[in-house]
Amino acid sequence: MHYRHYDLPMTLAAIIFDVDGTLADTERDGHRPAFNAAFAEAGLPWQWDEALYGKLLAVTGGKERIRHYATLHDPGFLTRPDCASQIARLHAAKTRHFVALLEAGGIPLRAGVARLINEARAAGLRLAIATTTSPENVATLLRVSLGPDSASWFTVIGAGDVVPAKKPAPDIYHWVLQRLAIPAGDCLAIEDSENGFAASRSAGIATLITTNDYTINQNFSGALKILPDLSRSNLAEIRQLFNQA
Ligand code: XBP
Ligand code: MG
């Protein structure tokens, strides 16, 4: 899904990172317990175990995922007149719990991520983020794992509700590309999930996949490469993959 500009050689100019599952393994032991803590705090009898959460990941976005769960398991909840504001409150509480987990150092970056980010910066590449998760989560993850100024290393951070249609829609990638002002064909995305890959691919961006337990069996056909993690990858190899595509 690489769009070449006629005879011009493609040059890798920017790397666009997904966050959840890509920068860090956030879902099973991060977002999931944070949702459960928010439900308990609100007196709801909802409990998302690891297997159920894997299924709920089909829907991206925390508010969207809560609504999806209620549709399947507690449809009465959706008939409450204040349902939308309840979901928003639950989600705000969930974000508070998730940020606290990050601040306690409970969710490290995945192997190889910090090294690649540093290498890319040193090489003068642009860095960006395209995620469905909330901006507070991204800001906190970057601050606690890469340092207080690290958000400024990213030319564009596209997160959460800045686009109404979340992944697998390509909208967040279009939003980021427009602000980067770099053609899709000169960018590389790094994603971990089928939904994320569908988004980056539809935006015409070559995509490297790093899988995790929840996504290992998903379909990534058309990806540049599928890796278990970035621990053995360096920028030179990634450039080579990109140029061969
Ligand atoms: C991540 C998501 C997010 C997180 C929760 O998908 O779907 O919803 O699970 O974050 P991707 P929020 O990695 O494809 O961006 O609760 O802040 O939405
Ligand atoms: Mg992801």
Side-chain angles (χ1 to χ4, degrees), residues 22-111:
T22 300
L23 291 186
D25 237 325
T26 51
E27 295 290 7
R28 190 188 57 205
D29 302 323
H31 290 296
R32 186 183 66 84
F35 280 110
N36 284 332
F39 301 151
E41 210 171 68
L44 284 166
W46 300 349
Q47 263 280 355
W48 292 358
D49 65 26
E50 292 179 15
L52 170 64
Y53 193 66
K55 293 185 190 138
L56 297 175
L57 284 172
V59 172
T60 64
K63 293 186 287 292
E64 292 82 352
R65 189 167 301 140
I66 293 170
R67 184 175 287 278
H68 173 61
Y69 170 81
T71 308
L72 297 176
H73 299 280
D74 193 352
F77 179 84
L78 298 174
T79 63
R80 297 183 187 185
D82 60 343
C83 160
S85 61
Q86 284 236 26
I87 290 177
R89 268 201 302 278
L90 282 170
H91 189 248
K94 177 260 166 179
T95 300
R96 176 166 45 78
H97 288 291
F98 182 74
V99 163
L101 252 166
L102 285 172
E103 281 177 338
I107 310 174
L109 293 181
R110 293 190 67 186

Side-chain angles (χ1 to χ4, degrees), residues 6-204:
Y6 304 95
D7 330 284
L8 293 176
M10 281 180 311
T11 358
L12 179 60
I15 303 181
I16 309 175
F17 291 88
D18 168 50
V19 174
D20 294 301
T22 300
L23 291 186
D25 237 325
T26 51
E27 295 290 7
R28 190 188 57 205
D29 302 323
H31 290 296
R32 186 183 66 84
F35 280 110
N36 284 332
F39 301 151
E41 210 171 68
L44 284 166
W46 300 349
Q47 263 280 355
W48 292 358
D49 65 26
E50 292 179 15
L52 170 64
Y53 193 66
K55 293 185 190 138
L56 297 175
L57 284 172
V59 172
T60 64
K63 293 186 287 292
E64 292 82 352
R65 189 167 301 140
I66 293 170
R67 184 175 287 278
H68 173 61
Y69 170 81
T71 308
L72 297 176
H73 299 280
D74 193 352
F77 179 84
L78 298 174
T79 63
R80 297 183 187 185
D82 60 343
C83 160
S85 61
Q86 284 236 26
I87 290 177
R89 268 201 302 278
L90 282 170
H91 189 248
K94 177 260 166 179
T95 300
R96 176 166 45 78
H97 288 291
F98 182 74
V99 163
L101 252 166
L102 285 172
E103 281 177 338
I107 310 174
L109 293 181
R110 293 190 67 186
V113 165
R115 198 193 51 225
L116 177 60
I117 287 174
N118 286 322
E119 250 192 295
R121 285 186 73 211
L125 294 189
R126 296 295 180 90
L127 300 176
I129 280 176
T131 177
T132 70
T133 206
S134 311
E136 303 93 296
N137 299 345
V138 182
T140 311
L141 177 68
L142 295 179
R143 176 169 50 77
V144 301
S145 56
L146 291 169
D149 303 328
S150 55
S152 70
W153 303 349
F154 294 81
T155 310
V156 182
I157 296 182
D161 297 326
V162 293
V163 290
K166 293 185 176 164
K167 299 174 189 176
D171 303 31
I172 191 67
Y173 277 100
H174 288 145
W175 192 94
V176 167
L177 284 173
Q178 200 187 0
R179 282 157 184 80
L180 270 177
I182 295 174
D186 293 344
C187 297
L188 171 80
I190 308 186
E191 277 283 357
D192 71 300
S193 72
E194 205 170 346
N195 276 329
F197 177 48
S200 58
R201 187 186 47 185
S202 318

